[in-house]
Amino acid sequence: MKPIRILLLALPILAVAACSKPQTHSPSIPKDPDIERQIDRILSKMTLDDKVGQMLQLNIDVLGGYTLVNGSPAWALNEEKVDTVIANYRVGSFLNAPGRAATPEQWRDWIGMFNKYSVEHLGVPTLYGLDHNHGVTYSQGGTLFMQPINLGASFNVELAREMAEVTAYESRAGNCPWVFNPVVDLGRDPRWSRIWESFGESPVVNARMVETEVKAYQGDDPNHIDKYHVATSVKHYFAYGAPFTGKDRTPAYLSPQMIREKYFTPFKAAAEAGALTFMVNSASINGMPVHASYEYLTQWLKEDLNWDGMIITDWADINNLYTREKVAKDKKDAIRIAINAGIDMSMDPYSVDFCGLLKELVEEGAVKMSRIDDAVRRILRVKIRLGLLDTPDVDPADYPLYGSDEFAAKALHAAEEGEVLLKNDGILPLAKNARILLTGPNANQMRCLNGGWSYTWQGSGIEEMAEKYNTIYEAFCDKFGAANVTLEQGVRYNERGSYYDEIVDGFGKAVAAASRADVIVACVGENSYCETPGNLTDLTLSENQRELVKALAKTGKPVILVINGGRPRLVADIEPLASAVVDILLPGNYGADALANLLVGDANFSAKLPYTYPREINSLANYDYKVSEEVGTMGGAYDYDAKVSLQWPFGYGLSYTTFEYSNLKVDRTSFTAGDVLNVSVDVKNTGSVKGKEAVLLYSSDLVASLVPDNRVLRAFDKVELAPGETKTVSFALPASDLAFVGADGKWVLEEGDFILKAGQLTQQVTCTATKKWDTPNILK
Ligand code: BGC
């Protein structure tokens, strides 16, 4: 549970110039005049108190507490407090679970109670939001899928669609209409504690996944969201994943090129796909806290993209403008800065004094009434689009599939596509009667398979709620027979300590058990964590775990290394000891069953690494590093060279079959900015089993006025092929995608040669005319 910061319910509770630029971008969601008229009617009746109250979001746990129910402590919402806080402070939104996941029945009661008093006092239901990040995090008995990093590894947007649809359905089954998801922070720094919440390091993978998920969560018509869909909050806008220190919520220093070409890309895709809300990056970019940036919030998002959605802060982040970022002198100053920058709703979890302070600011003229009306209009628009004014609460009878076998089958299938085979000297697939020594701290618990945002914030203390699902040990007993599986962990996580605390059991028992096994499966990695508590001091896999693997390798029995964790912990000294390596990332409740299926060949591996897996701590790189980051030896007096040294590259992953690429074709050899390059390639399954191949299309700009990236992923697709089968995979690549942000800050596509690459095949194409876009900052 997040620590309770301050509760000030006893205290008196609770200007931006109109856009002058011409709108250049068509609205991502068509304006519905009926909705706008309905907003006008509601707004005209609202007092300033009503309006500032709508702009506040409070945390649920300030409104309830633990009581004894049948002799055991149970959390309950305090109806009197709910009534009072809504009546007095007109609060428009609530969030979060009280420490841990609740049942759908509890959620319906609680959110129903918020709705009841909101309608009674304000005439408008509440907007309840939950961090349902890989399934229904906070709803017991629902479906928990693999984490988004595994989805990135699957390179399969169809799975993204299925996962988001199920999560929307099950969220609504618990009366929750709003999820704080998808996350597209770009996992480009392996040290950061949240890279597993996004789809990995490629802007294009994140963009395709987020646009698919936004549509799947929200349904086909974002103006009229039905009872099986929810509003999304795409987060954390933007460049949150680039902390210079590697530590959560610390500053990013980024070039304009990195900002616009990479970090902004998936958010632009999300806005264009119709995402109804965005949540803001807690940290700063080049010294500017994003919560204080008029340029990023209002100009880029609301004006340049002509986006009519709602912007919510992250956790207490207006307060952080004065307590941490020091760009405001006190809370009132912080509110002034943030609301004028473009924030519409403040997630101020434990305090209602936002309302009174914002009211004062309006009365003093420091925040214009037009800014308040704009913010409230955006909030009401979300509530109306969700249909909450007509039907605030759901009917449980409409959700018979909650937690069903049908959804479980989807989660298992997805997990099979989200685990990456990185090495196989031929030991895999295993025979089903293989005798296995199962070892390592990740071998027998659910927590590490799910990661953070799983029943609880840190994913800890969940074993009881995840009891019905299989740990790796349990899945192996099912697959190989309990008599064939010996569990000797050697190292365990200390469940009472920090996520990185370990208990060494003595390796002796594990080493002794190896003599009775055909193969050792060492399950190593990390325990679950999330956000700042997941900060890290050393990216190398823990010494205990590496020593365990070394001791076991000395027995001479083959070792299969199973890596389970949210970020790529360095394994350079133990990888050579392994006959096979599988990175299962964070595969969720069905991840162990998926692993067992994959290891014996009941399912085939098809995932590829969604991020670059580093080999050395001083050689961190992304797949699209600049060409000059890798140079050969120069010779002469300055014997300079630089190497990009990786454990495994982005996009790497093996299968039980092999694929051959041929006939890479582009329909034109020269092009200009308005053209579309139609690219196709034939992919053949040349092995003896069925398999899926993710086909990745890269481009390289050979000479440019700014140092070019060595390659950039432009598009991807996944195909299933029977043995011997060939399929043609086609991509329509707008030539404008090959542009970059030039030294003057304008998008430019420069004359010259480009290489397109799929598999090992390349085609050269030539741009015959330079084009510069003179449109606002972020657009082209
Ligand atoms: C996290 C967000 C989350 C919010 C609400 C914050 O601490 O950064 O990702 O949505 O809390 O729980």
Side-chain angles (χ1 to χ4, degrees):
M1 169 161 47
K2 288 182 178 163
I4 295 187
R5 282 117 181 180
I6 325 166
L7 172 55
L8 291 177
L9 288 186
L11 287 185
I13 311 203
L14 275 282
V16 168
C19 155
S20 55
K21 275 190 200 169
Q23 299 289 6
T24 52
H25 201 272
S26 51
S28 41
I29 307 177
K31 274 260 177 340
D32 180 327
D34 287 341
I35 293 180
E36 299 308 308
R37 274 193 293 273
Q38 193 176 358
I39 297 173
D40 289 338
R41 277 197 302 276
I42 300 171
L43 259 181
S44 69
K45 291 189 199 128
M46 289 174 95
T47 63
L48 180 55
D49 285 322
D50 292 339
K51 290 176 184 174
V52 295
Q54 279 295 307
M55 293 169 67
L56 174 65
Q57 183 182 57
L58 276 183
N59 199 42
I60 188 172
D61 58 11
V62 299
L63 297 168
Y66 280 87
T67 52
L68 282 183
V69 177
N70 301 329
S72 322
W75 195 91
L77 195 56
N78 181 320
E79 187 156 2
E80 210 180 309
K81 276 194 190 168
V82 173
D83 183 4
T84 309
V85 82
I86 294 175
N88 291 349
Y89 306 114
R90 335 294 290 158
V91 182
S93 179
F94 297 86
L95 87 151
N96 217 355
R100 65 207 303 265
T103 63
E105 294 75 23
Q106 285 171 316
W107 279 123
R108 286 193 292 268
D109 285 353
W110 295 341
I111 298 175
M113 195 188 291
F114 286 117
N115 278 333
K116 176 179 161 206
Y117 289 104
S118 301
V119 172
E120 187 177 316
H121 297 302
L122 317 174
V124 178
T126 198
L127 183 60
Y128 204 94
L130 283 172
D131 288 284
H132 281 176
N133 289 358
H134 61 123
V136 282
T137 297
Y138 284 134
S139 199
Q140 288 181 30
T143 310
L144 273 192
F145 289 87
M146 59 189 182
Q147 292 279 1
I149 197 67
N150 294 65
L151 192 44
S154 78
F155 286 89
N156 186 344
V157 291
E158 185 51 26
L159 295 179
R161 189 186 59 71
E162 279 187 12
M163 285 169 56
E165 276 176 0
V166 170
T167 307
Y169 178 103
E170 293 194 342
S171 297
R172 267 282 161 114
N175 213 8
C176 173
W178 186 25
V179 294
F180 301 142
N181 199 248
V183 182
V184 282
D185 290 325
L186 299 192
R188 292 174 70 85
D189 187 327
R191 301 166 303 164
W192 187 43
S193 56
R194 303 191 76 171
I195 68 171
W196 48 274
E197 293 185 48
S198 78
F199 306 105
E201 75 182 54
S202 155
V204 161
V205 174
N206 278 270
R208 294 296 86 80
M209 292 292 179
V210 76
E211 66 197 15
T212 306
E213 285 205 343
V214 161
K215 289 177 182 158
Y217 272 123
Q218 297 189 167
D220 294 334
D221 180 0
N223 273 318
H224 303 96
I225 293 182
D226 68 20
K227 61 188 173 192
Y228 297 116
H229 294 89
V230 294
T232 53
S233 192
V234 178
K235 65 189 188 184
H236 305 80
Y237 177 73
F238 69 94
Y240 179 34
F244 175 74
T245 65
K247 303 281 198 296
D248 188 39
R249 288 172 156 81
T250 61
Y253 307 102
L254 293 170
S255 69
Q257 285 70 30
M258 290 296 281
I259 287 178
R260 294 191 211 140
E261 291 171 18
K262 304 198 191 297
Y263 287 96
F264 186 70
T265 299
F267 289 97
K268 179 167 179 278
E272 288 170 341
L276 291 191
T277 79
F278 272 27
M279 189 187 292
V280 180
N281 168 7
S282 291
S284 60
I285 305 173
N286 302 332
M288 172 57 80
V290 184
H291 284 79
S293 173
Y294 180 78
E295 181 186 8
Y296 296 152
L297 301 180
T298 299
Q299 287 182 333
W300 289 24
L301 206 47
K302 294 180 177 179
E303 293 179 6
D304 291 349
L305 286 185
N306 200 2
W307 178 74
D308 69 2
M310 184 263 273
I311 301 181
I312 180 165
T313 72
D314 200 348
W315 189 268
D317 272 330
I318 293 187
N319 301 341
N320 287 327
L321 292 180
Y322 76 98
T323 57
R324 186 182 64 208
E325 307 294 336
K326 306 291 180 197
V327 297
K329 62 179 190 296
D330 55 22
K331 180 158 183 174
K332 186 166 167 182
D333 199 29
I335 294 172
R336 177 186 62 77
I337 292 169
I339 301 300
N340 284 339
I343 293 292
D344 301 312
M345 180 179 280
S346 175
M347 183 192 293
D348 197 357
Y350 302 119
S351 165
V352 285
D353 54 7
F354 168 86
C355 303
L357 293 171
L358 181 54
K359 188 178 175 192
E360 280 173 30
L361 286 163
V362 176
E363 287 167 349
E364 291 158 9
V367 174
K368 290 197 175 128
M369 196 62 199
S370 56
R371 175 72 269 272
I372 300 291
D373 282 343
D374 173 56
V376 177
R377 174 174 289 278
R378 288 168 184 273
I379 294 164
L380 292 174
R381 195 179 281 132
V382 178
K383 294 185 178 185
I384 296 171
R385 282 174 165 166
L386 275 164
L388 297 179
L389 274 78
D390 301 322
T391 318
D393 298 309
V394 295
D395 178 351
D398 287 335
Y399 303 90
L401 292 178
Y402 182 90
S404 62
D405 290 348
E406 184 183 324
F407 290 171
K410 288 178 194 274
L412 172 64
H413 169 68
E416 289 170 351
E417 284 202 39
E419 301 186 3
V420 196
L421 178 63
L422 293 171
K423 181 176 182 182
N424 183 15
D425 71 359
I427 194 170
L428 298 178
L430 293 173
K432 284 186 187 161
N433 60 359
R435 291 173 310 152
I436 293 173
L437 165 63
L438 193 59
T439 187
N442 296 52
N444 194 26
Q445 53 143 293
M446 289 310 300
R447 173 178 168 186
C448 54
L449 294 176
N450 274 314
W453 298 120
S454 304
Y455 304 112
T456 62
W457 177 40
Q458 293 295 309
S460 54
I462 69 156
E463 300 301 328
E464 176 206 334
M465 285 179 282
E467 206 175 3
K468 79 173 215 200
Y469 308 101
N470 282 334
T471 65
I472 294 178
Y473 174 60
E474 290 160 348
F476 275 33
C477 288
D478 285 355
K479 186 62 78 179
F480 298 97
N484 283 330
V485 185
T486 305
L487 177 70
E488 287 295 351
Q489 290 190 259
V491 180
R492 285 179 291 110
Y493 296 116
N494 176 6
E495 290 304 321
R496 291 176 192 195
S498 301
Y499 79 92
Y500 46 80
D501 282 343
E502 295 177 346
I503 298 167
V504 178
D505 246 355
F507 302 158
K509 282 189 279 178
V511 169
S515 64
R516 299 186 298 278
D518 302 320
V519 60
I520 299 165
V521 178
C523 302
V524 299
E526 299 185 314
N527 210 352
S528 74
Y529 54 80
C530 192
E531 298 187 38
T532 308
N535 281 349
L536 181 69
T537 50
D538 185 353
L539 191 61
T540 312
L541 184 72
S542 87
E543 190 176 351
N544 294 332
Q545 299 191 40
R546 289 184 292 115
E547 290 307 316
L548 172 68
V549 173
K550 287 176 193 167
L552 287 164
K554 280 199 191 123
T555 65
K557 290 290 167 76
V559 175
I560 297 171
L561 202 59
V562 171
I563 304 173
N564 167 208
R567 56 195 153 193
R569 303 294 295 265
L570 306 184
V571 291
D573 59 342
I574 56 170
E575 176 274 324
L577 308 177
S579 298
V581 180
V582 182
D583 191 348
I584 63 172
L585 301 160
L586 295 171
N589 273 340
Y590 301 90
D593 303 302
L595 177 66
N597 289 347
L598 288 162
L599 290 183
V600 299
D602 283 349
N604 197 351
F605 288 96
S606 67
K608 296 185 173 186
L609 275 179
Y611 48 49
T612 305
Y613 204 118
R615 184 190 292 274
E616 296 132 6
I617 189 61
N618 283 1
S619 300
L620 302 184
N622 290 125
Y623 85 97
D624 49 3
Y625 57 83
K626 295 287 174 192
V627 285
S628 48
E629 284 178 52
E630 177 149 79
V631 287
T633 307
M634 232 159 68
Y638 294 97
D639 197 12
Y640 174 80
D641 72 1
K643 294 265 176 297
V644 172
S645 164
L646 308 175
Q647 189 72 55
W648 295 286
F650 168 85
Y652 184 74
L654 303 169
S655 157
Y656 290 137
T657 190
T658 45
F659 299 98
E660 191 180 280
Y661 287 58
S662 61
N663 288 328
L664 176 64
K665 290 187 201 146
V666 193
D667 65 342
R668 52 179 74 233
T669 51
S670 62
F671 64 92
T672 56
D675 290 330
V676 172
L677 301 169
N678 292 301
V679 185
S680 65
V681 65
D682 293 344
V683 184
K684 180 175 184 187
N685 181 344
T686 48
S688 53
V689 290
K690 174 173 85 168
K692 285 189 175 180
E693 170 72 346
V695 180
L696 311 184
L697 179 69
Y698 293 97
S699 74
S700 305
D701 189 348
L702 298 189
V703 177
S705 56
L706 291 181
V707 182
D709 296 348
N710 80 94
R711 59 178 179 155
V712 180
L713 182 67
R714 297 298 179 186
F716 61 92
D717 198 2
K718 197 166 190 183
V719 283
E720 179 161 22
L721 295 164
E725 192 184 2
T726 301
K727 278 186 185 160
T728 302
V729 178
S730 305
F731 302 101
L733 179 66
S736 57
D737 280 9
L738 302 178
F740 64 95
V741 174
D744 60 358
K746 304 273 185 204
W747 283 97
V748 63
L749 175 66
E750 288 179 346
E751 217 176 86
D753 295 335
F754 292 77
I755 297 284
L756 299 176
K757 186 169 184 201
Q760 290 313 309
L761 304 176
T762 57
Q763 277 290 338
Q764 185 162 323
V765 283
T766 305
C767 176
T768 53
T770 294
K771 152 114 190 181
K772 188 175 282 196
W773 280 262
D774 209 14
T775 44
N777 277 339
I778 54 168
L779 301 173
K780 63 170 170 333

